[in-house]
Amino acid sequence: MGTFMAFTRSLGHHYIKKSKSHNFSQLFDLSKLIGPSEISNPNFDGSFHQLQSRKTLILEPASSESVKLQRLSDSDPGIVEVNLDRPGAKNAIGKEMLRGLRATFETISRDDSANVVMICSSVPKVFCAGADLKERKTMTPSEVQFFVNTLRSTFSLIEELCIPTIAVIEGTALGGGLEMALSCDLRICEEDAVLGLPETGLAIIPGAGGTQRLPRLVGKSVAKELIFTGRKIGGREAMSIGLVNYSVPAGEARLKALEVAREINQKGPIAIRLAKKAINEGLGIDLASALELEEECYEQLLNTKDRLEGLAAFAEKRKPRYTGE
């Protein structure tokens, strides 16, 4: 149990660290994530590699009342939608919702048939109001630290999915809600959306990735101003500073996201995954090493059936039929 607890705190690094003891069972039911048979398996060490190797999972509903997972339709089988649905708390993230988020994205990470993920809200005029502060008032400092660490690792799990992720921001995205959106590849919001990281007003800092992902998107100076002041911005300003990819009229964010998701879903799925890998990993290394990474990724595509199908479709002036092989 201690090894797996450490994994949840540093999942993005793909290795196991020693960690202090926490009451992990209060936050997650491990059997819901990976199955009781695997927990009892003496060869299971809780590593990300072992979890990733389970690629035969059929997409199932998330085991949470506040996080719903579904495929859109038979016509868009590669697009999956995650819906935040906690209307009584404006989608504020508490322990139960965090369990649902992690279980949901673990499920998606093990499903080869998923090509694009849309994170939406079922609650009108709110994407996510951030952490559940009412629940947090009941926590000890160590419980708060563990919760925030787990939230951070969950958002890293979203960021590290091998397929594209799109945050559909309709309404308010504050604190942890904006940090969740920042962990996605693309962000689409409505013009009347309200985005911000107000944590300094509560005498804390954004602790689930906000201090790191925001400056990487909008630049150091702009990120400092937004975090230092806790200022909230609208959709148009968010687009002007590069925080979101699109700002659209009210009621059109999901339609725009679906349009983008369908465009991605029509492309070669292996190519999309390797393009994401090349971009994400390449940005963290020097240019010469990044170009070598690009070469390695390209080489992996040379012998795929999809590459040959793409050439054939181009020659025959028809739409390609990619299978992910």
Side-chain angles (χ1 to χ4, degrees), residues 46-60:
S47 69
F48 185 71
H49 173 75
Q50 283 189 321
L51 288 177
Q52 272 198 318
S53 67
R54 298 183 61 219
K55 288 294 184 181
T56 58
L57 186 72
I58 298 174
L59 196 62
E60 298 174 350

Side-chain angles (χ1 to χ4, degrees), residues 61-273:
S63 56
S64 169
E65 291 298 319
S66 55
V67 184
K68 308 294 175 58
L69 176 61
Q70 63 179 1
R71 291 196 186 278
L72 291 188
S73 65
D74 292 338
S75 60
D76 298 301
I79 303 174
V80 296
E81 185 174 63
V82 176
N83 261 291
L84 311 179
D85 188 18
R86 195 184 177 205
K90 297 183 179 179
N91 286 341
I93 304 172
K95 292 181 181 179
E96 191 277 334
M97 190 170 189
L98 182 53
R99 281 195 297 268
L101 285 170
R102 178 169 286 277
T104 294
F105 287 102
E106 288 283 5
T107 298
I108 294 171
S109 73
R110 300 192 298 269
D111 192 314
D112 276 341
S113 65
N115 294 331
V116 190
V117 181
M118 293 168 50
I119 304 179
C120 307
S121 170
S122 298
V123 182
K125 298 183 180 181
V126 61
F127 176 72
C128 175
D132 187 336
L133 297 183
K134 291 183 180 180
E135 183 179 86
R136 180 161 298 182
K137 286 178 64 177
T138 68
M139 297 181 184
T140 66
S142 62
E143 289 173 333
V144 172
Q145 181 180 9
F146 180 61
F147 180 90
V148 174
N149 287 346
T150 307
L151 188 64
R152 186 186 307 113
S153 72
T154 299
F155 291 167
S156 292
L157 175 60
I158 296 174
E159 184 176 50
E160 292 164 6
L161 284 176
C162 63
I163 59 177
T165 52
I166 304 174
V168 185
I169 304 171
E170 299 172 300
T172 302
L174 298 175
L178 181 55
E179 288 178 301
M180 176 161 43
L182 290 172
S183 70
C184 294
D185 297 303
L186 307 176
R187 284 154 296 283
I188 297 172
C189 75
E190 297 181 344
E191 293 173 348
D192 60 356
V194 179
L195 303 90
L197 295 174
E199 284 86 349
T200 54
L202 296 171
I204 55 175
I205 66 171
T211 64
Q212 303 306 307
R213 293 190 177 99
L214 185 62
R216 283 166 168 78
L217 274 177
V218 303
K220 182 168 66 174
S221 181
V222 173
K224 284 180 176 179
E225 186 261 327
L226 291 175
I227 291 173
F228 293 170
T229 65
R231 184 169 67 88
K232 301 177 181 65
I233 63 175
R236 291 183 180 180
E237 183 176 356
M239 184 174 176
S240 71
I241 64 175
L243 177 53
V244 301
N245 299 83
Y246 295 96
S247 176
V248 298
E252 297 183 14
R254 188 179 178 280
L255 292 175
K256 182 63 181 179
L258 186 56
E259 175 188 328
V260 174
R262 283 171 171 162
E263 288 184 19
I264 295 171
N265 197 38
Q266 292 172 5
K267 306 302 186 289
I270 304 176
I272 292 294
R273 294 176 185 218

Side-chain angles (χ1 to χ4, degrees), residues 271-283:
I272 292 294
R273 294 176 185 218
L274 287 172
K276 178 171 178 175
K277 174 183 173 69
I279 293 169
N280 283 0
E281 296 183 12
L283 284 173

